[in-house]
Amino acid sequence: YYNNYKVLLDGMRAMGFQEYLAPELQGYIITSFRYPDHPNWSFEEFYNRLNERDLVIYPGKVSNADCFRIGNIGRIFEADVRALLTAIKEIIGEMGIVLGGK
């Protein structure tokens, strides 16, 4: 789980996403990311576009924060996490979202 988490975190940070929890509070199973502060952001559209590619993420469960969750559990491997990251990068590009990543 740790390797999947690390690949996910590095990839999401590189795109400019920020995790909801401070690193010292974060576990390896599920990671919450803040919604991008961008006028084109729509979680529903982002979620639906991922679903169209057979990729599933989860809405946030934090009542006072706009975030979404990505799980690193189950029978998934590094290649699966990298495929998700590729799809996310493509989708935010299609949505016209530019983040402060590398």
Side-chain angles (χ1 to χ4, degrees):
Y1 296 151
Y2 176 77
N3 187 61
N4 286 342
Y5 161 76
K6 187 71 174 130
V7 169
L8 175 69
L9 191 60
D10 290 347
M12 292 295 280
R13 284 178 175 170
M15 284 186 268
F17 285 93
Q18 296 176 346
E19 49 285 25
Y20 176 72
L21 291 176
E24 63 272 12
L25 301 174
Q26 178 63 54
Y28 308 137
I29 305 297
I30 295 176
T31 307
S32 295
F33 294 94
R34 296 181 181 277
Y35 285 178
D37 183 19
H38 193 281
N40 292 350
W41 173 256
S42 162
F43 175 76
E44 185 175 337
E45 181 179 349
F46 181 67
Y47 178 87
N48 289 335
R49 286 177 183 238
L50 284 170
N51 269 344
E52 289 169 2
R53 298 175 190 212
D54 296 324
L55 299 165
V56 178
I57 62 170
Y58 307 95
K61 286 221 167 201
V62 181
S63 60
N64 62 344
D66 291 329
C67 59
F68 60 92
R69 300 172 294 145
I70 299 177
N72 299 310
I73 59 174
R75 195 168 190 274
I76 63 170
F77 302 95
E78 182 176 331
D80 300 309
V81 177
R82 292 195 184 282
L84 173 65
L85 291 168
T86 296
I88 289 172
K89 187 172 186 175
E90 290 170 356
I91 289 167
I92 62 172
E94 293 166 4
M95 293 173 69
I97 296 171
V98 178
L99 303 176
K102 299 175 188 174

